[in-house]
Amino acid sequence: MSTAPISLLEPQSGEEAMMLDIVRKIVAEKVAPRAAEIDLKAEYPNDIKAIFAENDLLGIPIPSEYGGLGGSFLTYVKVVEEIAKACAASSLIVAVQELGMLPVMIGGSEQQKKAWLPKFASGEWIAAYALTEPGSGSDAAGSMHMRAERVEGGYKLNGTKIFITHGNVADSIAFFAVTDPSKGPNGITAFLVEKQFPGFKVGKREHKMGIKGSPTVELVLEDCFVPDSHRIGAEGEGFKIAMKVLDKSRPGVAAQALGIAEGALTFATNYTKERMAFGKPISQQQGLQFMLADMRTEVECARLMLYEAARKCDEGAADITYWSAMAKLKCGDVAMSVTTDAVQLLGGYGYCTDYPVERMMRDAKITQIYEGTQQIQRLVIARNLVGKWKPTGKG
Ligand code: CAA
């Protein structure tokens, strides 16, 4: 009997194979036919969310004792990728549920996990993650203004978060706020805010280039009382929780990017086999063949890197931070270049909304920006190589 390890490209178990079959069927029958309309109407697709919830896609990596599927992280990223091949906005329904519940999974007490994780897994609660502020994007710790003041029985939160994916449809949102400004990153604390808490307000909704079916909003907290029971982790642990969450959520964005790239490449390849020019299909022009070959090579490189990063998340490897940043960097850049080339391969048709590749190109751009820009991924990777410079005060 062969003892060779199964390639990460293959399903790792019968459960994973079954899950991916179910997802491919849902995508073909329910998601793909809706993708253009979701983009055009810029509507959060409640119907798709309900189908994902019915099929247990919202709690794949949540352990079964907390109501989830207890699946691997690798299965989770493969599911996000499958959905994103047809509709990037729909893939965020799964990916942002993961992002928003991770603070509880990583920093929550046993009691909080038992109370909240089943609600995320079933879809009873839609989740969101609120870190970014008007003056604080890349410099998430140094420029944070949201304050949490200690009061009897809990905290009073004041401040504004922006660019919060699903903030207007979420039932509970992980917020990060400064409890002790003298301590820098170690003076930030995490909280779970439920939408019915007095003082919680949804502000402006952004009008975006892509992922239009995935709403992005401002959230305002005005003297919002958050009870002690809703503080996640100890005071001052919030920034580390936020960073550990991003270590595990960036592969989700990478999976979305990879799915978009694969969707565009498949469409463009088929198109070149049909489209005739100079008496033969354009796929027979060497210039275009070289483009297709480069696109395929880049997509496969990105996939291998992402699956390895996901495997490391499953193992709790020490170098997750480094690998998830590299996977997000590679997959985001590949998504942008492959979708741009796909538009080029379709020529004028590629630029028109009758074909999906222009939507895919618009959707790809955000994967180079959110959950840390590509420049921040490079900073994280470089710090793992050479360390963070700490001035000593000596010449
Ligand atoms: N795991 C655990 N701890 C970590 C960590 C990690 N991955 N990264 C940093 N830390 C710890 C550090 O060890 C340090 O702890 P000590 O003080 O005890 O030494 C502390 O956190 C502060 O870290 P740094 O000194 O590295 O902090 P920094 O301010 O120099 O930079 C950064 C950190 C990497 C630039 C970080 O701010 C960052 O990732 N910025 C980008 C933020 C981001 O990705 N935002 C996206 C928001 S989410 C989004 O887009 C969601 C959406 O809706 C889809």
Side-chain angles (χ1 to χ4, degrees), residues 199-338:
F200 169 85
K201 215 171 68 189
V202 177
K204 177 181 171 234
R205 179 174 172 173
E206 304 298 340
H207 298 282
K208 299 171 301 185
M209 173 193 282
I211 54 159
K212 293 185 181 212
S214 170
T216 305
V217 298
E218 174 188 62
L219 296 178
V220 183
L221 299 183
E222 276 172 1
D223 287 337
C224 179
F225 175 73
V226 180
D228 283 327
S229 60
H230 283 57
R231 190 188 71 217
I232 304 171
E235 263 189 30
E237 278 181 8
F239 189 67
K240 287 196 174 96
I241 293 173
M243 292 299 106
K244 285 182 191 165
V245 167
L246 293 175
D247 287 346
K248 291 206 154 182
S249 68
R250 284 172 179 159
V253 172
Q256 179 192 36
L258 176 64
I260 297 170
E262 181 64 59
L265 175 55
T266 305
F267 193 91
T269 306
N270 291 335
Y271 179 88
T272 61
K273 289 193 236 171
E274 303 280 323
R275 174 75 178 171
M276 300 292 288
F278 306 103
K280 57 185 178 184
I282 59 172
S283 60
Q284 296 309 310
Q285 302 290 350
Q286 194 182 49
L288 303 198
Q289 287 181 342
F290 282 10
M291 277 174 79
L292 288 170
D294 286 344
M295 290 156 85
R296 173 51 67 201
T297 306
E298 284 297 292
V299 165
E300 296 303 343
C301 279
R303 179 171 287 118
L304 286 167
M305 179 153 258
L306 169 61
Y307 289 2
E308 177 61 5
R311 188 190 66 78
K312 283 176 179 281
C313 287
D314 279 324
E315 281 189 355
D319 52 359
I320 289 178
T321 305
Y322 178 57
W323 271 86
S324 68
M326 289 195 297
K328 200 243 175 207
L329 177 63
K330 183 70 191 168
C331 293
D333 284 356
V334 167
M336 200 63 242
S337 70
V338 165

Side-chain angles (χ1 to χ4, degrees), residues 96 99-101 103 127-133 136 140 144 146 157 159-167 170 172-178 188-193 200 217-221 232 238 242 245-246:
V96 174
L99 171 70
M101 69 78 186
Y129 174 91
L131 178 68
T132 304
E133 299 185 1
S136 158
M144 189 178 289
M146 179 167 277
L157 270 61
T160 299
K161 298 286 180 181
I162 57 162
F163 301 151
I164 309 307
T165 308
H166 300 171
S172 75
I173 300 109
F175 274 86
F176 299 87
V178 177
I188 291 171
T189 303
F191 299 91
L192 193 83
V193 174
F200 169 85
V217 298
E218 174 188 62
L219 296 178
V220 183
L221 299 183
I232 304 171
V245 167
L246 293 175

